[in-house]
Amino acid sequence: MPLGSAGLFQESHFGSQQGGAPVSLWLADSLARTPAAPPQDWRSRLRDWADEVELVPDLGQRIGSLTWFRGLATCFGLCATALYLSPGFRPVPGFSGARLSDAHYDEVRSQMITPLALGADSGHRMGPSDAVQPLRETPERPQIALNAQVGSSDTLPRALSRAGVSGGDVATIMAMVGADIAGGVKPGTRLDIILGRRASRDRPRPLDRLAFRARLDLSVELSRAGGALSVKRIPIRVDNTPLRIQGLVGDSIYRSARAAGAPPKAVQAFLRVIAGQVDLGGIAAGDRYDIVTDYHRAETGDVEVGDLLYAGLKRARGKSVDMLKWTKDGRTEWFEASGVGERRGVLSSPVAGHMSSGFGMRRHPILGYTRMHAGIDFAARYGSPIYAVTDGVISYAGRHGGHGNYVRIEHGGGLATGYAHMSRIAAAPGQRVRRGQVIGYVGSTGLSTGPHLHYELYRGGRVVNPLSVKFTTTAQLAGSELAAFRAKLAQYQGLRVGLHDSFAQKASAAPVAQGK
């Protein structure tokens, strides 16, 4: 019988007072009544051992201990077992059908839509019967109507030939309407073609009718009568009034102008012109833009947007802009309202970089002795574009001794500039370049220790300090030309804003002109 610790203490104390015999009897009796533990089998012992031993420890803790190595061994054992028992990557064998013969393939293909796409070339015919009689020849369609289109890099003769028009008819068409399409047919022009009955199977079908839009203001129709083609020209009225768009600048001048109806081409040209006069980042909300662009609208609804004609910007703070496109001495450029044109010939920086070496005597970094440095160096990243500092003509472009890849530009008046150590040249001798045009890229060819631009300026064939020469040529209008310029400016500034229909105010269309 189990006893608590207090009872055992009392029993022992009592036994000690009586001489100790009762204690011995009590222990013997307790042992006799306690059942013996049954012997454990091997499964229980294995289970107890597995509970005591940690076979899968955390390999991130107690690194280097016996338990850690035991876990590492367990990990390798599991990986090896998985690899050993893996099925592998070999293909699973399966049944594959026999390859169809040509006859069987045609039989199967005749049941699909493929033969129709290939012109029904499967060879199957309707089975002969009393209701079926073979034809000596199949009848032809009397006419074939086609719709073709002129591609982006296409021409009218090529588009007609591709549509099936014979070479003789194409030559006749071009002889009749060649003057009407001297500038080429606009890409996307639709061609309505009707081909007639051919005289025999070995001859192409003749052209019975052709209609297309030759220009915005002219539609052309050709038809065959009495075996010969005749042309009918249909003039289309066109409103050539320039389009004027005005509005307030919001978050973005581009989005504001587009929302007001300005064509994307006109807005982009407007921003380029304005950027040459003011900083676009300084244009604030509330400034007013004024755009006038060449605009042609036919009575059929077709529209052609031309070049930007006038760019104006009225600013609440800062310089306002009034720029008008004008042609002077065969050169078209932008003039301010006062008649002053663009500045040409202004020496600008040839590359986006800082000056690293000036003009004068210096110790050469490669040759090791002091000599004249006949130019200035600009430190720039390899491959940076190099620009022409002003307008001119390329007189030399190629390898030039210690200069490496070298370009020289003649600017007139005895002035010339040189650009050395290029990695690549983007200009050719005899080419005329404008100020800011890319002529090459920064490199380290020739006698150079690293990528940079060596820039030289020549006057009368002799090198001079590039920082000492600045010249400007500005176009200036005067006299009758200035009066005509101001009249055109007033005309654009007096235009009504937005589109307006002037067809109702014009006379009816001119009589149709016909010819052969």
Side-chain angles (χ1 to χ4, degrees):
M1 179 177 63
L3 296 175
S5 59
L8 181 60
F9 175 77
Q10 293 175 358
E11 188 72 21
S12 300
H13 179 70
F14 174 76
S16 62
Q17 292 178 352
Q18 299 297 329
V23 176
S24 301
L25 292 176
W26 177 81
L27 290 173
D29 183 63
S30 299
L31 293 173
R33 287 182 294 177
T34 302
Q40 293 182 340
D41 59 354
W42 64 273
R43 295 184 182 86
S44 300
R45 291 195 298 272
L46 181 61
R47 190 182 305 109
D48 295 341
W49 177 81
D51 292 340
E52 294 176 1
V53 178
E54 188 178 3
L55 294 177
V56 190
D58 185 0
L59 295 180
Q61 299 180 359
R62 295 176 290 175
I63 299 175
S65 63
L66 181 61
T67 302
W68 184 85
F69 279 108
R70 185 189 302 121
L72 185 63
T74 303
C75 179
F76 277 114
L78 293 176
C79 293
T81 303
L83 292 175
Y84 178 75
L85 298 177
S86 64
F89 299 96
R90 291 177 298 176
V92 178
F95 175 76
S96 59
R99 181 181 178 86
L100 293 177
S101 63
D102 293 341
H104 289 166
Y105 175 74
D106 284 343
E107 194 71 29
V108 173
R109 195 168 65 91
S110 65
Q111 308 300 322
M112 300 185 298
I113 198 173
T114 307
L116 301 179
L118 299 176
D121 62 345
S122 61
H124 285 259
R125 303 288 187 272
M126 182 181 292
S129 66
D130 295 339
V132 177
Q133 295 181 0
L135 298 175
R136 294 183 180 274
E137 61 180 15
T138 57
E140 288 191 340
R141 297 171 59 183
Q143 286 185 333
I144 297 179
L146 302 171
N147 289 323
Q149 196 173 37
V150 179
S152 58
S153 59
D154 212 350
T155 60
L156 180 60
R158 196 181 309 163
L160 291 173
S161 299
R162 192 169 55 249
V165 181
S166 65
D169 286 343
V170 170
T172 303
I173 293 170
M174 295 306 298
M176 299 175 69
V177 302
D180 300 322
I181 56 173
V185 180
K186 183 180 178 182
T189 300
R190 177 176 173 176
L191 307 175
D192 296 328
I193 304 171
I194 296 180
L195 300 178
R197 189 190 298 274
R198 54 187 174 180
S200 61
R201 291 181 178 273
D202 59 348
R203 300 185 63 181
R205 287 180 176 269
L207 177 70
D208 279 359
R209 183 179 182 274
L210 171 64
F212 66 97
R213 188 75 166 265
R215 300 190 304 266
L216 184 66
D217 60 346
L218 180 65
S219 181
V220 174
E221 292 183 3
L222 292 98
S223 58
R224 187 176 297 275
L229 287 173
S230 61
V231 61
K232 178 181 179 181
R233 296 177 176 86
I234 305 174
I236 301 173
R237 291 185 297 171
V238 176
D239 183 6
N240 296 315
T241 305
L243 174 64
R244 187 181 187 188
I245 302 293
Q246 280 185 342
L248 293 176
V249 178
D251 296 337
S252 167
I253 187 172
Y254 181 85
R255 288 197 293 266
S256 299
R258 290 288 292 119
K265 176 182 176 182
V267 180
Q268 294 169 3
F270 173 81
L271 292 177
R272 285 195 295 268
V273 174
I274 295 299
Q277 304 297 318
V278 298
D279 182 13
L280 293 181
I283 301 176
D287 293 345
R288 177 172 290 274
Y289 58 85
D290 194 352
I291 301 173
V292 177
T293 183
D294 197 17
Y295 197 79
H296 309 281
R297 184 167 63 94
E299 60 180 343
T300 57
D302 299 284
V303 169
E304 285 185 0
V305 180
D307 297 332
L308 182 69
L309 302 175
Y310 169 77
L313 181 65
K314 300 297 185 292
R315 306 179 65 188
R317 295 182 179 178
K319 174 186 176 184
S320 296
V321 178
D322 284 296
M323 301 295 293
L324 178 66
K325 180 179 285 188
W326 192 259
T327 302
K328 177 180 173 59
D329 298 332
R331 180 188 179 101
T332 301
E333 58 184 270
W334 288 91
F335 284 79
E336 299 178 3
S338 60
V340 177
E342 299 175 356
R343 294 188 303 166
R344 298 192 303 272
V346 179
L347 294 181
S348 61
S349 176
V351 71
H354 64 277
M355 191 175 69
S356 58
S357 182
F359 180 86
M361 299 297 295
R362 71 163 188 176
R363 183 179 178 84
H364 198 279
I366 295 180
L367 301 178
Y369 58 84
T370 301
R371 72 170 191 172
M372 182 65 180
H373 185 229
I376 57 178
D377 292 343
F378 290 91
R381 300 180 63 177
Y382 187 92
S384 300
I386 300 172
Y387 309 99
V389 296
T390 189
D391 300 352
V393 178
I394 305 293
S395 61
Y396 184 89
R399 199 77 181 183
H400 191 260
H403 286 151
N405 291 332
Y406 174 80
V407 171
R408 178 165 173 155
I409 305 177
E410 301 291 338
H411 304 289
L415 290 175
T417 52
Y419 312 79
H421 306 312
M422 294 183 178
S423 61
R424 184 163 60 93
I425 296 175
Q431 178 183 352
R432 181 172 295 276
V433 295
R434 301 284 299 273
R435 175 177 179 264
Q437 183 174 337
V438 176
I439 58 174
Y441 299 89
V442 171
S444 185
T445 55
L447 292 177
S448 171
T449 58
H452 72 285
L453 169 66
H454 176 75
Y455 169 65
E456 296 180 347
L457 180 65
Y458 305 89
R459 173 183 282 169
R462 301 179 59 185
V463 292
V464 296
N465 188 353
L467 300 180
S468 64
V469 177
K470 293 183 180 180
F471 57 94
T472 304
T473 303
T474 305
Q476 181 73 46
L477 301 178
S480 59
E481 190 174 20
L482 179 60
F485 172 82
R486 290 176 175 173
K488 180 63 70 174
L489 180 63
Q491 176 187 348
Y492 289 156
Q493 292 178 340
L495 284 174
R496 191 173 61 185
V497 177
L499 293 173
H500 56 282
D501 189 4
S502 62
F503 294 124
Q505 303 173 2
K506 294 182 179 180
S508 59
V512 175
Q514 298 185 5
K516 293 184 179 181

